[in-house]
Amino acid sequence: MSHVLAIDQGTTSTRALVVDARGRPVAQAQRELPQIYPRPGWVEHDPEEIWGATLDVMRRALSAAGLAARDLAAIGITNQRETTVVWERASGRPIHNAIVWQDRRTTEACEALCARGLDATVTAKTGLVIDPYFSATKLAWLLDRVEGARARAARGELAFGTIDSWLAWRLSGGAHVTDATNAARTMLFDIHRQDWDDELLALFDLPRALLPAVVDCAGRCADASAEVLGALVPIAGMAGDQQAATIGQMCFAPGAIKSTYGTGCFMLLNTGARAVASRNRLLTTVAYRLEGRPTYAMEGAIFVAGAAIQWLRDGLRLLQSAGESAALAQAADPSAEVYLVPAFTGLGAPYWDARARGAIFGLTRDTGIAELVRAALEAVCFQTRDLLTAMAADGATPPVMLRVDGGLTVNDWTMQFLADMLGVPVERPVVTETTAMGAAYLAGMATGVFPGLDGLAPFWQRDRLFEPTMSEDERAMRYDGWRAAVRRVRTTADG
């Protein structure tokens, strides 16, 4: 048994990846995930659709690899974080659609908590800001709005989890677990004590009986049942998608930094054994926990990156495929000063403005599809600079290199503009889907397929290095235009 199966359940798709003992992907399968928008600013997923897609891609990936479940040493799970599911313990049926991390329906509840002066308490314990992004207010909303849910939760009849928990439950037939990185995104977990916090549970009026057990990122925490895959397979790796990408990018030393470009963009800076508090509205989070010892990270979260290109494709129908975006950006008029602020679901770090909404500035009669596409791609890079600027203001040493991953990184034009806008070389690996690889590494480390962290480094290989070529004057001019555009959509004055 020298292969590991990684499940990568993301916001817009579900993927399974089979990895061999040399750390090489040998087969994969993927299925898009339908998005549900009940109201403006609300985003949901069907948990049963997620489960069905997971089964489908696991079986197809194994078939493509010519393997059976009995050939697997372990399964690793990585997932879209903060997305909230509640289900019946007895039947396993969800009581409502999952509320997705992008969802803004609890904005007023979060504002009320901040008005009570509770943001400092929450941040001190969790490293997070009070925002609809995180799971706690989503969970409270479900208990309050689904008939009978609050009483059933109090009786211990319901289970809460992020998507990792939901998949582990369904794979195993009832194991209720999450890992420390996902727990750290709920606004209910004390990242210093590494435990659920009773004061926070009381604040959100949530019973502890809802919560899963918190486990390390690497270690056998459950078994996928033979009824599901045809053989008993250990579930031995678990991490939220951005933390799994941190593993996949080999960012193990304090100061190592990576940025992932998928639906959103997430930059994590490893801070080692120290949980560094941000003064610039970045998050303090758990990068990974091994053998009970947490490693921390400073994180900047951008809600819309690749999702802006998806919007141009599916919403405005300006593209047939995301792959066209690089050529269109290259063809755009470089002197056009068009800025797209993709605040479709508010602004994340460092602004944390849940009520901000998207806008396009600088349109002229000459503006065409190419200029709009370029503006969407540039926005990804401008937002990344926002994060790097905030990290520098918090005292982080400027990086000598930024490692990138995720689907958008195959776009060479965007990666070159990113290097230009940051003034920092950008390093892209051969395998850009490092999220799934991180889950595979964690599961493989726990079962002896892979060495420990120190032995993983040779598995990482560079595909291309993008060196900055833009002048400092042009870089400053373009970024000043971005900052002016952001100010025009802001609804709060801080940040």
Side-chain angles (χ1 to χ4, degrees):
M1 294 187 292
S2 58
H3 290 78
V4 175
L5 176 69
I7 299 167
D8 179 2
Q9 204 299 299
T11 310
T12 57
S13 71
T14 305
R15 174 186 285 107
L17 185 69
V18 179
V19 180
D20 69 16
R22 289 192 247 180
R24 301 176 305 183
V26 297
Q28 68 171 312
Q30 184 175 2
R31 192 161 106 182
E32 287 202 8
L33 176 61
Q35 309 295 297
I36 303 168
Y37 304 107
R39 298 184 192 176
W42 292 26
V43 191
E44 297 180 356
H45 290 158
D46 179 351
E48 293 293 354
E49 165 67 26
I50 289 174
W51 170 237
T54 301
L55 278 178
D56 173 49
V57 297
M58 284 194 300
R59 290 167 177 167
R60 286 197 286 122
L62 283 172
S63 176
L67 300 173
R70 63 178 176 273
D71 300 314
L72 294 175
I75 292 172
I77 299 173
T78 184
N79 58 289
Q80 50 168 315
R81 304 171 302 173
E82 300 94 19
T83 296
T84 299
V85 188
V86 176
W87 63 93
E88 298 173 342
R89 291 184 180 275
S91 69
R93 288 193 300 266
I95 67 169
H96 191 275
N97 280 338
I99 302 180
V100 177
W101 58 272
Q102 299 164 312
D103 190 278
R104 303 276 97 186
R105 75 187 65 187
T106 63
T107 294
E108 290 185 2
C110 290
E111 290 172 345
L113 291 167
C114 290
R116 292 166 55 192
L118 295 169
D119 44 347
T121 297
V122 170
T123 299
K125 290 175 179 286
T126 68
L128 310 177
V129 299
I130 295 177
D131 191 83
Y133 176 29
F134 306 108
S135 306
T137 56
K138 302 180 195 299
L139 177 53
W141 187 96
L142 285 169
L143 297 191
D144 289 334
R145 301 302 178 91
V146 177
E147 185 176 356
R150 189 163 285 284
R152 297 182 69 192
R155 294 195 297 268
E157 297 174 9
L158 303 180
F160 151 74
T162 43
I163 297 298
D164 59 314
S165 293
W166 168 244
L167 293 180
W169 178 287
R170 293 301 296 263
L171 283 165
S172 66
H176 193 199
V177 295
T178 191
D179 82 287
T181 70
N182 277 294
R185 312 300 294 192
T186 61
M187 227 160 36
L188 301 171
F189 186 74
D190 188 322
I191 62 172
H192 310 287
R193 294 190 302 107
Q194 290 290 297
D195 195 9
W196 301 115
D197 188 83
D198 289 329
E199 183 181 4
L200 295 174
L201 289 169
L203 174 64
F204 295 102
D205 193 18
L206 299 171
R208 186 179 270 260
L210 278 168
L211 304 177
V214 180
V215 300
D216 286 346
C217 295
R220 186 170 184 164
C221 61
D223 292 312
S225 69
E227 288 76 13
V228 171
L229 283 181
L232 200 70
V233 184
I235 301 170
M238 196 177 287
D241 51 8
Q242 303 313 313
Q243 284 85 351
T246 300
I247 297 289
Q249 288 279 44
M250 313 297 172
C251 293
F252 306 139
I257 187 171
K258 71 89 197 175
S259 194
T260 297
Y261 298 91
T263 300
C265 165
F266 302 87
M267 180 181 284
L268 266 71
L269 172 70
N270 187 319
T271 62
R274 181 174 168 231
V276 178
S278 173
R279 302 181 302 278
N280 293 277
R281 310 202 76 194
L282 298 174
L283 307 177
T284 305
T285 195
V286 178
Y288 47 87
R289 193 177 86 183
L290 302 174
E291 297 180 344
R293 294 190 297 273
T295 293
Y296 294 97
M298 184 177 289
E299 176 177 337
I302 296 167
F303 297 154
V304 175
I309 301 303
Q310 187 180 46
W311 171 68
L312 293 177
R313 184 194 70 186
D314 300 339
L316 300 188
R317 302 190 183 281
L318 301 184
L319 303 168
Q320 293 292 322
S321 70
E324 300 172 20
S325 60
L328 282 166
Q330 184 65 46
D333 180 358
S335 67
E337 296 182 12
V338 178
Y339 290 91
L340 188 159
V341 183
F344 304 143
T345 56
L347 288 170
Y351 308 106
W352 296 109
D353 188 340
R355 294 189 180 274
R357 287 297 176 263
I360 303 172
F361 300 100
L363 296 176
T364 68
R365 184 63 181 82
D366 296 331
T367 302
I369 291 173
E371 285 71 33
L372 292 177
V373 171
R374 177 171 174 143
L377 294 175
E378 287 180 342
V380 175
C381 306
F382 292 135
Q383 291 178 100
T384 304
R385 177 160 171 176
D386 287 342
L387 300 182
L388 209 57
T389 299
M391 287 184 178
D394 275 333
T397 301
V400 296
M401 193 91 63
L402 176 66
R403 286 189 170 179
V404 297
D405 57 87
L408 192 57
T409 62
V410 301
N411 186 315
D412 287 354
W413 187 92
T414 305
M415 294 301 99
Q416 182 58 55
F417 190 83
L418 178 64
D420 286 338
M421 188 45 50
L422 301 181
V424 172
V426 168
E427 194 173 29
R428 182 175 67 195
V430 170
V431 179
T432 58
E433 297 302 336
T434 56
T435 301
M437 292 301 295
Y441 292 149
L442 289 167
M445 285 193 298
T447 51
V449 176
F450 301 132
L453 295 183
D454 292 341
L456 288 177
F459 292 160
W460 192 95
Q461 293 180 315
R462 178 198 289 174
D463 170 57
R464 182 168 171 182
L465 182 69
F466 297 86
E467 297 270 11
T469 58
M470 184 180 289
S471 71
E472 185 56 45
D473 286 346
E474 182 180 358
R475 182 180 301 130
M477 180 271 293
R478 290 181 179 274
Y479 188 58
D480 286 346
W482 164 257
R483 297 281 287 177
V486 170
R487 284 194 294 271
R488 294 172 71 179
V489 306
R490 295 293 308 281
T491 65
T492 59
D494 58 333

